[in-house]
């Protein structure tokens, strides 16, 4: 058999990983080292050379986009459809298991998925039902607690309050929330994974079936797995199935959301006989950038160890710019962007990375003032937009009238005269009779529990849902969506407002029809689900992944966490100051500093050709002004790899002492200080000369340019 096409264009380490014996393997894949290529070629090798059926291979990754790309590349490499191959996210594959075995999982056949916002709405309803004050028990805190316990594999009955009244109440909320989900036939994202793990753990025949079926497990981004995901993988793998884990302990940056770096560090212990392959050749960055990244990450302890290198050129040194303040920092970046663009390059090849979202404001203001288009990466995604969630809630009620979260969202959207008092009566009735909100509303309308006006309004809504359900049966999916949009009143509601924002909402609703038109039912993925249920599941799983439409050619701005997995020719790593990056909380909490360093490593390795690092001598952020030292991470990069554009000036002492100018009543000033002049407006002190009454300062005014002013007469005021 000719397998040359599988191995061509692979380097020695990649080839070693792809052709390894059928045993557990840990592939330490450095940034830009071709990990996706190795995963795809490994699957092709297992199928074409080792003779495994696609039916016996499962590949797990973290995003639907990555899973779709992986499947496409596998099929291209095999030159055939990979029918039977399970490729998906943890949540997607768990969802597939639950749909196939809904009875064993103790779920209704048409169960729906709650996304994060829907889950929060349900938590709020539970708090109200328990008569708890949201100011005392914040819904997001309760949501975080519930998801955190599920990620550890714990149900309410497994928890011990240890005599703590706060824990006792949170456990009570979790228990009531679980009952509400079971009553409505809905599951949240964490529940998908936990319920599928329990399904397999508690059904030996099912577990034996899937452990026998899957003869090889492959996992991408292994360093990002949490406790529950790792337990899920180990359960399916059992004692016989080898696991091919690809990850990078140096890029583990999601500890704050439950990822456990210990999973990759303990992999060899948990899977005895594991071979380790290191992918260290980088195909992205220049030698200088990689040397800086290697020098930085060496300061972390307990690493599995690797060192990135490239066969390409050394490239330019890393540029370090020490700005006077955050405005000067933003102007410097904007000037570099303008120069790059004027040289015939695209703005979209530039990324501005920062630790905190709050840092974006000054960059945005500066870019707007200088006419530089930009995009803040990670805005609201399509399926998270309010108008889309309204439309999906109507469709969920068509699919499952007992979906309480969807009922609450649209019972008065658009407004139809059903007030909060009426909704509270429906809630109380549902709770008292252990019913869904929909059934409780029917009983109240046919009884005497509602005032005449409220009864008419609620009856109108129930009739609308009934008619939508009857008409949609048998229609193609996109026609179901079109019919719902017209008859629910959503399209008319958003169309009344002629503002640009409202019109874009109408366009989004129209795009939902396009999404439905392009949706394809996959028997392997969706089993015997009807088209509408499958589409709603798809929407819930996709929520939070598809980016909004980017501007045609604009600077990319994002947090360092958002930048993972991306790359750009030119990168600005901004705000590199103690307390900001590393973040002050990470300095105070044990173990967090190393994760901050890994985050910096991720930022550095996003750059292909040129990396700029910026810090400021003073910064106004979160409403206060600080004088931070440069980040320790800058000091961990060897000086010979750094090119200082403007050396840092000592600003701890004023340049002009009050005693020298006391006779003239002039206060002391510093280089880098922002000041206001009655005629020239706001500016920054950039230079000085002279002493006493003849002391002068050079001020760079935003509107008037650079001016030399005698301090005794300028009457400058500190900003």
């Amino acid at each position: 058999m000719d397998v040359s096409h599988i191995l061509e264009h692979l380097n020695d380490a990649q080839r070693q990983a792809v052709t390894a014996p059928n045993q557990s393997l840990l592939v330490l894949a450095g940034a830009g080292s071709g990990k996706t290529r190795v995963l795809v070629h490994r699957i092709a090798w297992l199928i074409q050379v080792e003779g495994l059926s696609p039916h016996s291979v499962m590949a797990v990754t973290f995003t639907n986009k990555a899973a779709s790309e992986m499947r496409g590349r596998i099929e291209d490499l095999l030159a055939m459809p990979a029918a039977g191959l399970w490729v998906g996210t943890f949540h997607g594959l768990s969802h597939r298991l639950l749909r196939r075995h809904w009875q064993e999982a103790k779920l209704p056949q048409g169960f729906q998925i709650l996304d994060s916002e829907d889950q929060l709405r349900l938590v709020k309803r539970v708090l109200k039902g328990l008569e708890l004050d949201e100011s005392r028990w914040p819904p997001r805190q309760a949501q975080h607690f519930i998801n955190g316990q599920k990620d550890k594999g714990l149900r309410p009955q497994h928890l011990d309050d240890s005599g703590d009244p706060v824990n006792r109440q949170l456990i009570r909320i979790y228990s009531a929330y679980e009952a509400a989900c079971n009553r409505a036939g809905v599951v949240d994202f964490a529940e998908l994974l936990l319920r599928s793990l329990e399904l397999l753990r508690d059904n030996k025949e099912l577990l034996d079936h899937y452990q026998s079926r899957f003869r090889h497990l492959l996992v991408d981004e292994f360093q990002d797995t949490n406790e529950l995901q790792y337990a899920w993988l180990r359960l399916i793998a059992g004692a016989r199935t080898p696991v091919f884990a690809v990850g990078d302990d140096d890029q583990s940056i999601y500890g704050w959301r439950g990822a456990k770096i210990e999973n990759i560090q303990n992999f060899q212990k948990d899977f005895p006989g594991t071979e380790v392959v290191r992918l260290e050749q980088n195909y992205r960055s220049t030698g200088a950038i990689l040397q800086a990244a290697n020098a930085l990450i060496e300061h972390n302890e307990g690493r599995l160890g690797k060192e990135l290198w490239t066969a390409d050129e050394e490239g330019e040194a890393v540029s370090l710019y020490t700005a006077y303040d955050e405005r000067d920092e933003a102007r410097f970046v904007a000037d570099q962007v303008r120069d790059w663009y004027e040289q015939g390059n695209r703005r979209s090849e530039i990324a501005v990375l920062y630790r905190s979202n709050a840092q974006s404001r000054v960059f945005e203001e500066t870019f707007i003032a200088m006419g530089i288009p930009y995009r803040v990466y990670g805005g609201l995604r399509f399926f998270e937009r309010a108008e889309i969630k309204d439309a999906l809630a109507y469709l969920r009620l068509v699919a499952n009238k007992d979906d309480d979260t969807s009922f609450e969202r649209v019972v008065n959207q658009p407004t139809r005269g059903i007030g909060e008092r009426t909704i509270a009566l429906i809630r109380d009735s549902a709770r008292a009779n252990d019913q869904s909100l929909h059934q409780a509303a029917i009983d109240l309308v046919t009884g005497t529990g509602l005032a005449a006006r409220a009864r008419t309004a609620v009856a109108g809504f129930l009739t609308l849902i009934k008619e939508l359900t009857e008409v949609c049966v048998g229609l193609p999916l996109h026609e179901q969506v079109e019919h719902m949009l017209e008859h629910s009143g959503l399209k008319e509601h958003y169309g009344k407002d002629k503002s640009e924002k409202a019109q874009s909402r109408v366009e989004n609703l129209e795009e939902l029809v396009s999404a439905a038109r392009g949706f394809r039912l996959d028997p392997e993925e969706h089993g015997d689900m009807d088209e509408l249920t499958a589409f709603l599941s798809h929407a819930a799983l996709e929520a939070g992944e598809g980016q909004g439409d980017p501007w045609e050619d604009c600077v990319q701005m994002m947090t360092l966490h958002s930048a993972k997995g991306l790359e750009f020719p030119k990168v600005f790593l901004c705000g590199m100051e103690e307390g900001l990056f590393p973040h002050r909380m990470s300095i105070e909490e044990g173990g967090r500093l190393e994760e901050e360093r890994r985050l910096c490593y991720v930022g550095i390795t996003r750059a292909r050709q040129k990396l700029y690092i910026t810090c400021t001598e003073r910064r106004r952020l979160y409403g206060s002004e600080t004088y931070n030292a440069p980040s320790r991470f800058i000091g961990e990069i060897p000086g010979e790899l750094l090119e200082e554009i403007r050396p840092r000036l000592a600003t701890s002492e004023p340049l002009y002492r009050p005693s020298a100018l006391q006779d003239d009543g002039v206060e002391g000033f510093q280089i880098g200080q922002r000041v206001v002049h009655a005629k020239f407006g706001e500016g920054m002190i950039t230079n000085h000369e002279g002493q006493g009454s003849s002391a002068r300062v050079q001020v760079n005014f935003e509107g008037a340019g650079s001016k030399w002013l005698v301090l005794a007469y300028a009457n400058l005021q500190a900003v």
Side-chain angles (χ1 to χ4, degrees), residues 289-326:
I289 291 170
L290 296 181
Q291 289 174 51
N294 288 332
L296 172 84
I297 204 64
E298 280 177 2
H299 288 79
N300 272 4
E301 298 178 0
R303 295 174 60 231
L304 295 171
K306 66 183 177 316
E307 185 156 332
L308 297 179
W309 61 276
T310 180
D312 294 335
E313 60 185 18
E314 183 72 8
E316 296 181 48
V318 177
S319 292
L320 172 63
Y321 181 74
T322 303
Y324 298 120
D325 64 4
E326 73 278 2

Side-chain angles (χ1 to χ4, degrees), residues 636-648:
E636 292 171 357
I637 299 173
E640 62 268 21
L641 297 176
L642 293 173
E643 171 198 33
E644 289 197 69
I645 298 176
R646 172 185 173 267
R648 181 178 175 85

Side-chain angles (χ1 to χ4, degrees), residues 195-212:
R195 185 75 67 115
S196 69
L197 181 139
E198 292 171 341
L199 168 72
L200 296 175
R201 184 196 65 198
D202 300 338
N203 291 270
K204 188 176 185 307
E205 286 185 13
L206 269 183
L207 180 59
D208 289 344
H209 166 74
Y210 283 108
Q211 285 183 341
S212 298

